Amino acid sequence: MYSYFLTIYSLVLFASDVNAYSSGSPDAFCQYDRLDGRNVILRPGHNVRPRNPAPHGYRLETGQFNPKSLRVTLRAAPNDYFRGFFVQATRADFPLEAINRPAYGTFRPLDANSQARRCRAAVGGVGGITHTNNRDKNVVSFDWYPPASCNLGNVQFVATVVKQYNEYWVDVRSPNVTGIGFQGERGILCQLYNDPFNTGIQQEVIRLLSQQQQQQGQQQGQQQQARTAG
């Protein structure tokens, strides 16, 4: 339990940053030192502005949700292509540029065209998924895993799609996905997941972490006394 809380405490914030890499965003793309230094709009470092809105042929589609995962597909129009991408799950209809925009869950690739990325997060491992090469792609699919036993409400997937260096789009969105996760009362950890920048909830998690540390120290002391007495 202590290690679980320690992981949560060390992952209090999340970030999103996409750079111009043909083999996908680098491992450290979503690590950051300051909250105001995050690239929350998922814009790659191409030194050109996105060409929004994206053509209708670029779509993020979702399959049927099961208790553990959801199939997500990024698709171009027939006879069209994309080369790079980054996809993340967020709260439905939440502005992409909002500094407090949350990110949810982790991704698992289904083929050699995608790779998962891990980011700092409110609870557990949160991340996104990106490309592995700059070959032309018409469709790519992957599985998304929400946090266990958390009621996230409505979720939406958001993508940055790159066709070539000077031609890319941000804020490509899926339809809303409803009824994600456990439907019930949220504990403190799920509250932090849904509101990752709430300082009151953060302080409560830190208090629980300190409590766990004290309990672990007491247990270790008792075990040491028992060994000495024996």
Side-chain angles (χ1 to χ4, degrees), residues 52-88:
N52 282 47
H56 293 297
Y58 292 104
R59 304 193 308 275
L60 264 177
E61 304 170 345
T62 58
Q64 185 173 0
F65 178 73
N66 65 53
K68 292 185 178 180
S69 66
L70 179 72
R71 182 65 49 86
V72 182
T73 299
L74 175 62
R75 189 185 306 274
N79 302 319
D80 202 353
Y81 68 92
F82 56 91
R83 291 176 177 168
F85 63 89
F86 177 76
V87 177
Q88 197 171 60

Side-chain angles (χ1 to χ4, degrees), residues 146-215:
S149 301
C150 284
N151 179 2
L152 300 178
N154 293 346
V155 170
Q156 199 169 31
F157 294 89
V158 59
T160 295
V161 182
V162 179
K163 188 170 185 178
Q164 51 191 351
Y165 184 87
N166 62 350
E167 189 175 12
Y168 71 93
W169 301 270
V170 299
D171 207 8
V172 178
R173 296 200 177 223
S174 73
N176 288 358
V177 181
T178 61
I180 287 295
F182 174 76
Q183 299 297 308
E185 184 178 355
R186 293 197 298 261
I188 184 66
L189 303 182
C190 291
Q191 292 177 40
L192 185 58
Y193 209 115
N194 280 269
D195 194 4
F197 307 108
N198 186 310
T199 55
I201 300 177
Q202 290 176 6
Q203 291 171 0
E204 177 64 11
V205 170
I206 293 172
R207 185 189 68 80
L208 292 173
L209 172 63
S210 177
Q211 186 179 76
Q212 290 291 328
Q213 289 175 322
Q214 292 176 2
Q215 292 176 353

